[in-house]
Every structure is written in structure tokens, then in C-alpha cells.
Amino acid sequence: MITLLALLLTLSGATLIYLASSRQQLRMQPLPAPARGAGWLAIAAGVLCWWHVAGAGAGISAALTALMLAWVCLPYLAWWRITSSESSTP
């Protein structure tokens, strides 16, 4: 159960940081600056949960892997959303 919590905290923190970026393409406007701080807090809590579940080395590696997964997938999700909306427009 803590593993699921660690994954959700890490992924939600990464998503908040991405959505607060000025270069994000999923929303019309980026989230306000406090969302970035909340994202970092969620990531820190996720790292602590990973650390508790898997130990120091494996926990940090798992957290970094989840962050990498989110930060690679989110731009592709934005690209897919933009191209699918353009193809559906007559």
C-alpha cells in the first residue's frame, strides 16, 4: 500500500511541476507558482515513502525512475492531444 502511495505522490508531484511550467502544452495557462512548490513537496514525500519501502538506494532509484517516466510521458501526451484535436477538425 505504501508503494502505491509513493508512486502516486511522485507522479502527481511531477505532473504539478510540469503543469506549472511555462512551456507546458496541456493547459491554456500554466498553473500558478505555488503549484510548483506543492509538486516538490509531493515528490519529497514520495521519495521518503520509496525510501521506507525499498531502502535508500533502491528507493531513490525508484523515485527517479517514476519522475523520468512522468516527465517523458507528459510532453508526448500533450503532443498527442494537440494532434488528435487537429485531425478531428474538418
Side-chain angles (χ1 to χ4, degrees):
M1 193 65 177
I2 293 179
T3 306
L4 179 62
L5 177 66
L7 181 65
L8 290 176
L9 282 169
T10 308
L11 292 178
S12 64
T15 303
L16 280 172
I17 290 173
Y18 175 77
L19 291 176
S21 170
S22 61
R23 305 273 304 172
Q24 60 88 21
Q25 296 289 314
L26 283 173
R27 296 173 40 96
M28 296 295 275
Q29 295 283 333
L31 291 177
R36 182 173 284 135
W40 283 115
L41 286 175
I43 288 172
V47 169
L48 289 176
C49 288
W50 281 116
W51 194 316
H52 176 72
V53 168
I60 292 171
S61 296
L64 290 175
T65 301
L67 288 172
M68 179 186 64
L69 176 68
W71 285 333
V72 166
C73 290
L74 284 168
Y76 282 110
L77 180 65
W79 170 80
W80 176 75
R81 185 175 157 240
I82 290 170
T83 57
S84 66
S85 68
E86 287 175 355
S87 66
S88 65
T89 306

